[in-house]
Amino acid sequence: AQRVTQPEKLLSVFKGAPVELKCNYSYSGSPELFWYVQYSRQRLQLLLRHISRESIKGFTADLNKGETSFHLKKPFAQEEDSAMYYCALSVPLTGGFKTIFGAGTRLFVKA
Amino acid sequence: ETGVTQTPRHLVMGMTNKKSLKCEQHLGHNAMYWYKQSAKKPLELMFVYNFKEQTENNSVPSRFSPECPNSSHLFLHLHTLQPEDSALYLCASSLILAGDAYEQYFGPGTRLTVT
């Protein structure tokens, strides 16, 4: 079965501390993985995808196929990083794709 | 307005009413999606349309009926809903190109309350 697991509902860290939001996936094929973010009163938007290997707003995520993980990391958290973060897996359908989202982790960065 | 728009933003309806949610994308995408977001089950995929064809119905009850007249518009027709259907309904769109899964762009959502 295709599944995305985010074990932490809430993660609270101090400003300047490192942060890691965990994501594990279950999929037999080659995964297409994403992190989406939803800031307060804003719509859900893409943060990064594994295939681009970019660092966005200081965040990085490495795909580990052996551990079936795609954890999101940032070395020094900022208050503006407080938001809801969703890990997502896109799997192919006939003629397209569907995306399976994890339950989300709320990150709270304290001053 | 650019991007993905949804109307109405808020909707209160009785269990015997019939209403429709509308989504429009101005991004030239060829795939559109309906999601349900509630406190109990965040971000459940409901329907997927690729090139106007429905390619996924994620075991959604028949009281929800989607319609995709063209690649820019997506509707969700609602009838005889239950109070547990109260949730935020999100529309999204994406580009399907050369077998690649591009990012999804989300609308602001319609907050639905069933009384």
Side-chain angles (χ1 to χ4, degrees), chain A residues 33-92:
Chain A
L33 288 155
F34 303 78
W35 276 99
Y36 284 81
V37 62
Q38 189 167 26
Y39 300 103
S40 178
R41 299 191 186 89
Q42 294 186 29
R43 62 184 69 186
L44 194 60
Q45 60 187 288
L46 178 73
L47 180 63
L48 55 80
R49 58 184 298 193
H50 90 272
I51 200 168
S52 61
R53 293 184 170 274
E54 292 175 304
S55 173
I56 306 293
K57 298 185 179 183
F59 285 97
T60 58
D62 291 318
L63 174 61
N64 185 324
K65 291 187 178 181
E67 296 183 357
T68 60
S69 68
F70 187 55
H71 303 326
L72 184 67
K73 299 177 184 178
K74 185 169 182 177
F76 308 103
Q78 303 299 313
E79 289 180 75
E80 55 265 30
D81 296 328
S82 295
M84 193 75 178
Y85 291 81
Y86 294 94
C87 183
L89 167 70
S90 280
V91 299

Side-chain angles (χ1 to χ4, degrees), chain A residues 7-49:
Chain A
E8 303 138 329
K9 282 191 175 181
L10 174 67
L11 187 61
S12 183
V13 301
F14 283 102
K15 177 183 172 182
V19 63
E20 181 180 55
L21 289 86
K22 291 184 168 48
C23 172
N24 288 90
Y25 66 91
S26 174
Y27 179 55
S28 57
S30 185
E32 292 262 11
L33 288 155
F34 303 78
W35 276 99
Y36 284 81
V37 62
Q38 189 167 26
Y39 300 103
S40 178
R41 299 191 186 89
Q42 294 186 29
R43 62 184 69 186
L44 194 60
Q45 60 187 288
L46 178 73
L47 180 63
L48 55 80
R49 58 184 298 193

Side-chain angles (χ1 to χ4, degrees), chain B residues 15-47:
Chain B
M15 289 191 284
T16 58
N17 291 158
K18 287 186 180 182
K19 296 286 184 184
S20 295
L21 309 185
K22 179 183 175 182
C23 176
E24 186 173 355
Q25 58 96 1
H26 311 267
L27 299 166
H29 290 166
N30 49 22
M32 297 187 78
Y33 313 81
W34 279 117
Y35 290 89
K36 177 183 178 183
Q37 187 176 35
S38 63
K40 293 183 179 178
K41 287 188 179 181
L43 276 173
E44 296 176 79
L45 178 66
M46 299 176 73
F47 300 104

